[in-house]
Amino acid sequence: MSTAVSAVFPPPGRRGWHEDSAAILVGAALVGLALAVGWAFRPTADADSRERYPKGWPSALASTINKPQTWNASPAEALADRKGKPGGTAILLGLGWVVAVSAAGAVLRGHTVARVIPGAALLGLLGALAYLLAAQKVIHYYNLEYPLWALVVGLVIGNTVGVPAWLAPALQGEYLIKTGLVLFGAEVLFSRLLELGLPGLLTSWVVTPIVLVATYLFGVHALRIPSRSLCMVISADMSVCGVSAAIATGAACRAKKEELSLAIGLSLAFTAVMMVAMPPFIRLAGIDPIVGGAWLGGTIDATGAVAAAGEILGRDLGDKRPAEVATTVKMIQNSMIGLIAFAVAVYWSGWVERGTASVQRSLAAEAWLRFPKFILGFVGTSILCSALFTTSPETALLVDGAIAGFTGPLRGWLFCVGFVCMGLQTVFRELAPVLVSGRPLLLYVLGQGLNLALSLAMATLTFGWLFRQGAGP
């Protein structure tokens, strides 16, 4: 086995595989399972009809996973699916998938499965609680999504009663989130990213690196935040695509869990505000709907919040295009995760920690060591599903059905439980000095202000002027 390959997939030994390797293997296996089951149970009539199957072929695995649905007066309402049928079994099975993924990771990483399963089950229940809180009608309306509540649940428990010793082996938060990101790769389909053409690429790929670098340098040199890794994860989270970028860049610069939790918490809070405030501002300011949609996609961090904000804007204007443009611009940003993570790994190895006791290798070797290998799984599932999507109408429906029916919901569960783990392992007193100063909040606000200004300017230039006739899906 070559050195490069063995660095990603080391031979299993007494200590087992690295969590990135485990995330790639488990995530790829789950994507393969979804595609195989979808093909095995494919429809016999009108199998190539997008009109009949707008969200792809129905997946046989869809009945094995669900989450609590929107409820108003009683949490019991959340146990019914969207059609009003009992959905509690599918929710429990969804929790079971989390336990299964945790157990698979434990096996691959050389841990004792029996010590992981009880804790994984409890973490799954805490994840279900976070989903339940996010599903309350008023909370759901303001888009205070499950990642925020998962972090809150974990933080409250971890910083009050603490984490019992028997639960510690099950705290595999980074592994679960990385596995979820490998699944997320299946949703980044190249053909859809290219639907907007050059305007979409310019809006995402020009503004994003400018905002990231400027925000990071401002935090380090102007605000003098002592932790460069905190500056980096805040900058990447805010400028690229929220949580996913924070996890990827945090791995590349070896940020602390407390720093990741802080960056993600800031992102989720501002995402909720921007999702509610930006659509009416766009309408009142008379901004072109397509330009407004691109602006939403380039600035709001979470993909789900971008879609929701685009739908609000489109509904107010009677136009579906803003939501389509917003979502596509955000997905183009999502495609930058791997490149950004690699650039951060090179920068950290060659400049930030070059010459320190912890860096004694060549630049290439150190950059490769720091590069988050799970990104290879993200890219691999993206390439696989992109290729299938463009092969034929049938395989396009296969991919959409696998995502909508299984890998998408499972990704949500893995993210949710992963954030609970991060909250449980975050000790905020270690960040007390920098929190009291208010500098991380100021860095996020100023960086987001720059992001809003540059994204609006670029969206106006590309979608509103240079490519106005060809802009839009």
Side-chain angles (χ1 to χ4, degrees):
M1 183 180 292
S2 68
T3 302
V5 174
S6 63
V8 184
F9 299 107
R14 189 166 57 185
R15 295 186 63 186
W17 301 71
H18 187 277
E19 69 180 12
D20 282 28
S21 308
I24 292 173
L25 291 172
V26 174
L30 290 167
V31 171
L33 173 65
L35 293 172
V37 170
W39 185 257
F41 293 91
R42 60 189 181 276
T44 56
D46 298 326
D48 61 348
S49 173
R50 174 67 66 175
E51 183 177 351
R52 181 167 182 177
Y53 305 108
K55 296 183 179 180
W57 291 342
S59 174
L61 293 172
S63 61
T64 69
I65 188 165
N66 203 348
K67 64 180 181 180
Q69 302 299 308
T70 305
W71 59 278
N72 186 17
S74 170
E77 300 170 15
L79 299 180
D81 63 18
R82 294 177 180 177
K83 296 181 179 179
K85 298 179 181 179
T89 300
I91 294 173
L92 288 176
L93 290 174
L95 191 154
W97 278 110
V98 174
V99 175
V101 171
S102 298
V107 170
L108 291 171
R109 299 172 65 195
H111 298 170
T112 304
V113 176
R115 298 180 61 197
V116 171
I117 290 180
L122 176 59
L123 293 171
L125 290 173
L126 293 177
L129 173 61
Y131 263 132
L132 189 65
L133 292 171
Q136 202 281 328
K137 187 175 182 179
V138 176
I139 293 173
H140 178 73
Y141 176 80
Y142 288 104
N143 209 49
L144 299 175
E145 295 186 343
Y146 70 86
L148 176 63
W149 296 106
L151 272 176
V152 169
V153 168
L155 286 169
V156 169
I157 297 174
N159 288 273
T160 53
V161 300
V163 179
W166 65 269
L167 183 60
L171 296 178
Q172 304 182 87
E174 290 189 17
Y175 158 72
L176 294 175
I177 292 173
K178 290 173 180 178
T179 304
L181 285 170
V182 175
L183 296 179
F184 182 49
E187 301 173 37
V188 181
L189 303 174
F190 298 154
S191 60
R192 286 183 173 165
L193 301 187
L194 296 175
E195 286 179 354
L196 294 182
L198 195 55
L201 295 176
L202 289 174
T203 302
S204 296
W205 288 0
V206 172
V207 173
T208 297
I210 293 174
V211 173
L212 188 153
V213 173
T215 304
Y216 168 75
L217 292 176
F218 187 82
V220 171
H221 298 292
L223 295 181
R224 298 187 182 278
I225 295 175
S227 172
R228 284 177 174 259
S229 56
L230 176 59
C231 292
M232 179 56 71
V233 293
I234 288 177
S235 302
D237 185 303
M238 176 271 301
S239 63
V240 186
C241 55
V243 172
S244 302
I247 296 297
T249 56
C253 66
R254 297 177 180 172
K256 297 178 181 178
K257 288 183 173 63
E258 289 79 10
E259 294 171 341
L260 282 171
S261 295
L262 175 58
I264 291 171
L266 287 171
S267 170
L268 294 172
F270 276 87
T271 292
V273 173
M274 292 170 66
M275 189 213 72
V276 174
M278 288 183 70
F281 176 84
I282 291 170
R283 187 179 68 255
L284 292 174
I287 297 173
D288 181 89
I290 300 300
V291 172
W295 191 33
L296 294 173
T299 52
I300 298 177
D301 291 337
T303 304
V306 168
E311 289 176 2
I312 293 171
L313 177 61
R315 184 172 63 245
D316 291 343
L317 299 173
D319 190 347
K320 295 181 179 180
R321 293 177 300 166
E324 296 172 348
V325 170
T327 305
T328 305
V329 168
K330 177 53 62 179
M331 292 304 292
I332 295 172
Q333 278 192 333
N334 291 338
S335 70
M336 299 181 67
I337 293 174
L339 181 61
I340 295 292
F342 178 74
V344 170
V346 172
Y347 170 68
W348 232 256
S349 304
W351 285 268
V352 176
E353 295 187 355
R354 191 66 176 166
T356 64
S358 62
V359 179
Q360 300 295 330
R361 309 170 187 83
S362 67
L363 174 58
E366 182 64 22
W368 171 249
L369 182 66
R370 286 177 174 273
F371 176 69
K373 310 301 187 299
F374 73 89
I375 292 295
L376 300 177
F378 170 89
V379 173
T381 54
S382 177
I383 292 173
L384 170 64
C385 290
S386 295
L388 286 173
F389 191 82
T390 55
T391 299
S392 69
E394 290 86 352
T395 54
L397 293 171
L398 166 66
V399 170
D400 279 345
I403 293 169
F406 182 68
T407 62
L410 180 55
R411 171 178 62 82
W413 269 103
L414 296 180
F415 276 11
C416 187
V417 177
F419 293 140
V420 170
C421 293
M422 287 181 60
L424 289 169
Q425 294 176 298
T426 295
V427 183
F428 265 129
R429 63 173 173 269
E430 296 185 9
L431 284 175
V434 73
L435 281 174
V436 170
S437 72
R439 286 177 289 180
L441 175 61
L442 181 60
L443 177 63
Y444 190 97
V445 171
L446 294 177
Q448 190 61 270
L450 176 64
N451 191 24
L452 285 164
L454 292 184
S455 293
L456 179 58
M458 183 59 75
T460 302
L461 177 66
T462 55
F463 286 89
W465 182 42
L466 292 178
F467 304 97
R468 183 174 181 84
Q469 296 303 318

